[in-house]
Amino acid sequence: MKRFRNNVAPVFMTAVVTALLVFSGCANKNEPAWMKVNKQLVKEHGITERQRDDMVDTGIVSNLDAGKVTNISQLPEVEFAPGVKGRMYWGKGALVNWMVMEPGSEIPKETLNAERLLVMVKGSIEQLVNGQMVSMTCSPDTPGFYFAHGYVGTRDCVFLENGTENAVKAGPEGAEFLEVYSPVRLDYMQKAGVTPPENPNFGDFKAERRFPANQVFNYYDVQRTELVPDADSRLISGDALQASFLFMQPGSKFGHHNHPEEQIMIVFDGSIDEIILDGQTTMKTGDIVYFPAYMVHGGVNGPEGCNVLDVFWPVRTDYQASETKRYEALNAIIPEGEAPKLIADLKANPTGNPFLEGGVYVNGKLIFSGMFFDIPAGTWKSDARKSSVLSLDLASGKVSTILKGRQTNGMALMPNGNIAVCDMAGHQIFEMTPEGKVVKVLADKLSDGTRLDGPNDVVVDAKGGMYFTDPQFIFDEKKRAGETVNYIKPNGEVIEVIAPGEFGMANGIELSPDGKLLYVNNTYHNEANMSEVENWVIAYDVNEDGTLSGKRKFARMFLPQSEYNQGSRSSCSDGCAVDQQGNLYQATSVGVQIFNPEGKYIGNIHTPFFPVNICFGGPNNDVLYMMAWDKVYSIQTKVQGLVLPNAVQ
């Protein structure tokens, strides 16, 4: 995303000094009652108080008691127009309104006297943007939604500047959305039965803005920024308002801290034992709390984590600095403004609603698996007779079937230019030419004679050996003792290197550029005995003989919120890829998540449909291809995919 406005130095005001003295805890007869305890906590916890000299006293009084938790359901419902109601809360400078509109209801055209962020929650609307009514919508986040439908999701947002014309009409199913305003809308206060002060001074804030005004954007394209370890936020800032959509990992802690900006917090999902001054209160869905400037707070998150919205006034520039670092790291890989492009849509392909997998690039063609599953029936029963290996000519866009009747899955280029292909239903890995001719079977059993179940993904090492996962994603009644990872030695011997019981479903597999680390992801979380892998990529040291040691957690993948809510940790992580710099790319139910060589999260590539498998290719090997349900996307990168010695591209 390109930044919309450069930073503008704030205007200094006479009232600043007085306000600063009050907020920083200096002796003043106007200090609030909680300030005495606050000073003690600052000293006790060694809090370094960040200062700012542009604060103003607006004269607005919050409708929430400072540091006291309430629930949004306890706030009065206000009617804004026929069929349009909302519940709102505000501080000295920002107001948050949760609006519900009946089907077809309207907010008449008005000229805004405040900047406004709108984020869709449910249903659809027509929103006035640049003089035209524009559709805005969102998709649900419910258990199983992603994997049942393949659709990753949309949550439309728009930022309107002060002085912009606004009008809204609800869709046929009605709508719910969040509004954040700064400064506080005085007319909204009046609708709530509160008389605002005359001519309040809201200051002159001009913070840096990443997302342009009057342009609809997708919430899921907003990158997560790490604020503190285990706490990552999607930040959307205006001139003076800042919305922080924060997720805190299960069991994590947000230590005692304070800041000169006021904060209003509401819990969306999960729970947190919120530290407020020297007390602690459990907050759950719908609970709200208002923190005036410099009030000490923190929190310990529940077992399902905690998903909250924090609204700050004015904008926290320290958070923006962290946000800049996040985008700089991502843009070193994905050019700023670059987005996935749909290059093939196979929904109507004769193979019958193919579930796309695999993926290798060879000489201008993308070769991948078109797998048949009885998805509409909800059984996911497979049929190899209706499955194929497909080839997409990237110049013409034409898709051809090069091998029929095999339910193949993951693929990897071999040093001789052929392709190692996982044949799930055939219980084997075979070698295939780029034209689709089967050369030979590479493995169909372990060296002790044990039959393979359903090879899923494969990676070739520099020696010519191959690691492959066997998560038993087949419908045969007879299977081995459990899911495994195996290794085909260069001499053809096939050994088991990860035994049953270590993964819920070992799936995607990759090697580091130096071949010393093997990465294995876990698609489904088995709560009974897989709690240590959960939504993690696991790394192993590769020994000289191809065996593995040193199992450890490497990278934690983000999940759909519904997974946290129901206590699951299934990431649906499937295929993966590595670039020459050692960055790891994971196809998951929330997009392609990228991690650096140390396992630190870099960012996410959002695709409209669930990316199942990925690979690098293109003439310069710098295009990432994403097989997403029944569609293929591509995105240009600044890096090159990992190439094996002597591999043909």
Side-chain angles (χ1 to χ4, degrees):
M1 295 286 182
K2 293 189 179 296
R3 296 186 179 89
F4 184 64
R5 175 182 290 135
N6 292 325
N7 228 1
V8 179
V11 177
F12 291 75
M13 301 181 178
T14 305
V16 167
V17 177
T18 303
L20 183 61
L21 289 173
V22 173
F23 290 140
S24 62
C26 297
N28 191 300
K29 64 180 181 180
N30 295 321
E31 282 185 351
W34 52 265
M35 186 58 79
K36 182 177 180 180
V37 173
N38 206 70
K39 290 178 181 178
Q40 295 172 347
L41 293 170
V42 168
K43 184 176 180 180
E44 178 182 341
H45 294 281
I47 298 172
T48 301
E49 294 193 307
R50 180 169 50 84
Q51 308 293 337
R52 59 186 301 166
D53 52 11
D54 57 350
M55 300 299 293
V56 296
D57 186 358
T58 67
I60 301 291
V61 177
S62 175
N63 64 333
L64 302 174
D65 293 334
K68 183 178 180 180
V69 174
T70 187
N71 193 277
I72 193 168
S73 62
Q74 302 301 311
L75 299 179
E77 192 173 58
V78 176
E79 184 174 65
F80 295 88
V84 181
K85 296 180 179 179
R87 299 180 191 271
M88 55 184 162
Y89 48 89
W90 61 83
K92 290 180 175 293
L95 180 146
V96 183
N97 181 42
W98 294 86
M99 191 78 86
V100 178
M101 301 183 68
E102 295 178 2
S105 61
E106 297 185 40
I107 298 175
K109 183 183 289 188
E110 60 181 351
T111 299
L112 295 175
N113 57 11
E115 58 179 350
R116 169 183 178 254
L117 170 66
L118 181 149
V119 180
M120 292 297 300
V121 175
K122 187 177 181 181
S124 64
I125 61 172
E126 296 291 316
Q127 167 69 53
L128 184 64
V129 179
N130 292 324
Q132 295 184 332
M133 299 302 284
V134 176
S135 295
M136 296 182 64
T137 187
C138 64
S139 57
D141 181 6
T142 55
F145 173 80
Y146 294 85
F147 206 71
H149 301 280
Y151 189 57
V152 174
T154 295
R155 187 174 298 280
D156 284 335
C157 310
V158 69
F159 185 90
L160 300 180
E161 292 182 299
N162 193 332
T164 302
E165 285 192 332
N166 173 57
V168 184
K169 182 176 181 179
E173 71 276 43
E176 296 180 23
F177 54 84
L178 157 71
E179 295 181 298
V180 184
Y181 289 99
S182 180
V184 175
R185 282 191 61 163
L186 305 184
D187 57 330
Y188 273 24
M189 290 180 64
Q190 291 172 330
K191 287 180 181 293
V194 177
T195 302
E198 293 185 10
N199 302 316
N201 175 16
F202 289 111
D204 185 15
F205 299 101
K206 299 290 183 183
E208 186 176 272
R209 189 189 305 153
R210 184 171 295 277
F211 297 93
N214 303 321
Q215 180 177 311
V216 175
F217 60 95
N218 190 348
Y219 168 87
Y220 296 111
D221 285 329
V222 182
Q223 294 297 324
R224 299 176 189 265
T225 294
E226 184 181 70
L227 304 183
V228 298
D230 296 328
D232 297 80
S233 177
R234 302 181 197 265
L235 296 168
I236 306 175
S237 302
D239 286 339
L241 70 83
Q242 185 175 59
S244 170
F245 296 88
L246 175 66
F247 176 72
M248 294 169 283
Q249 293 286 346
S252 62
K253 182 176 181 179
F254 215 115
H256 290 77
H257 66 287
N258 68 4
H259 39 77
E261 301 83 7
E262 70 170 1
Q263 173 184 345
I264 313 175
M265 168 183 164
I266 184 170
V267 175
F268 288 158
D269 302 276
S271 64
I272 182 171
D273 290 333
E274 186 69 24
I275 299 167
I276 305 173
L277 295 173
D278 57 352
Q280 187 168 293
T281 303
T282 299
M283 295 182 65
K284 296 183 178 181
T285 301
D287 284 344
I288 313 169
V289 65
Y290 168 59
F291 297 119
Y294 288 105
M295 179 177 278
V296 172
H297 56 286
V300 179
N301 296 286
E304 68 276 49
C306 193
N307 186 23
V308 308
L309 167 63
D310 290 320
V311 173
F312 295 98
W313 179 85
V315 171
R316 288 192 61 165
T317 55
D318 58 330
Y319 278 7
Q320 286 192 313
S322 297
E323 178 189 39
T324 297
K325 290 180 181 178
R326 166 68 72 227
Y327 278 87
E328 286 177 346
L330 178 63
N331 294 151
I333 296 173
I334 307 296
E336 188 173 10
E338 193 72 19
K341 298 177 177 63
L342 179 65
I343 59 174
D345 189 343
L346 279 71
K347 188 171 184 179
N349 190 278
T351 55
N353 191 26
F355 183 79
L356 304 185
E357 265 278 14
V360 293
Y361 173 89
V362 184
N363 297 329
K365 292 182 172 60
L366 185 67
I367 299 168
F368 52 92
S369 301
M371 305 169 68
F372 176 84
F373 290 106
D374 194 5
I375 300 173
T379 63
W380 281 87
K381 190 170 181 60
S382 63
D383 191 336
R385 295 169 299 177
K386 297 180 181 179
S387 300
S388 307
V389 177
L390 307 170
S391 178
L392 167 63
D393 186 288
L394 294 164
S396 66
K398 181 181 178 181
V399 177
S400 304
T401 299
I402 61 174
L403 183 64
K404 295 181 179 180
R406 300 231 189 182
Q407 190 167 40
T408 61
N409 200 312
M411 304 177 181
L413 283 174
M414 300 173 64
N416 63 4
N418 285 339
I419 305 167
V421 182
C422 292
D423 183 358
M424 288 205 316
H427 313 289
Q428 63 183 351
I429 294 178
F430 63 82
E431 181 179 344
M432 181 187 74
T433 68
E435 293 72 36
K437 179 182 178 180
V438 176
V439 177
K440 62 180 179 180
V441 174
L442 297 170
D444 59 2
K445 57 182 175 293
L446 298 179
S447 294
D448 65 4
T450 304
R451 190 201 74 171
L452 303 181
D453 285 322
N456 188 287
D457 202 5
V458 59
V459 62
V460 182
D461 65 20
K463 299 176 182 178
M466 302 178 195
Y467 291 94
F468 66 93
T469 56
D470 192 346
Q472 300 184 313
F473 190 37
I474 55 175
F475 291 87
D476 303 51
E477 292 183 4
K478 185 179 180 181
K479 299 180 184 179
R480 296 162 62 191
E483 300 86 352
T484 63
V485 175
N486 309 283
Y487 181 58
I488 307 173
K489 292 186 176 183
N491 64 5
E493 182 184 358
V494 185
I495 62 172
E496 182 181 276
V497 292
I498 298 179
E502 289 197 34
F503 279 87
M505 181 179 279
N507 197 320
I509 191 167
E510 265 293 354
L511 284 161
S512 61
D514 61 8
K516 294 182 178 180
L517 292 178
L518 183 74
Y519 305 118
V520 184
N521 64 34
N522 186 47
T523 297
Y524 296 118
H525 175 55
N526 184 335
E527 186 67 34
N529 58 2
M530 298 299 137
S531 59
E532 75 280 4
V533 292
E534 295 186 332
N535 50 316
W536 287 83
V537 178
I538 303 299
Y540 293 84
D541 296 314
V542 177
N543 301 321
E544 186 63 29
D545 62 355
T547 59
L548 306 176
S549 59
K551 176 183 178 181
R552 57 193 178 276
K553 293 179 178 179
F554 177 75
R556 179 170 53 193
M557 291 170 284
F558 287 103
L559 308 173
Q561 186 59 48
S562 55
E563 285 292 308
Y564 295 107
N565 293 350
Q566 63 184 356
S568 176
R569 295 293 181 269
S570 295
S571 65
C572 293
S573 56
D574 206 310
C576 48
V578 172
D579 66 29
Q580 293 185 27
Q581 298 175 9
N583 298 308
L584 177 65
Y585 302 72
Q586 287 283 343
T588 75
S589 54
V590 297
V592 179
Q593 300 185 49
I594 308 173
F595 302 88
N596 71 14
E598 288 72 48
K600 301 297 183 183
Y601 179 78
I602 293 176
N604 186 66
I605 303 169
H606 174 80
T607 54
F609 284 80
F610 175 176
V612 180
N613 216 327
I614 54 180
C615 70
F616 276 96
N620 298 314
N621 201 29
D622 58 356
V623 177
L624 186 68
Y625 294 99
M626 296 160 276
M627 282 55 71
W629 212 256
D630 54 10
K631 296 170 175 59
V632 182
Y633 295 89
S634 70
I635 191 168
Q636 181 65 52
T637 76
K638 294 181 178 180
V639 297
Q640 291 182 311
L642 182 61
V643 179
L644 286 168
N646 304 317
V648 177
Q649 286 289 305

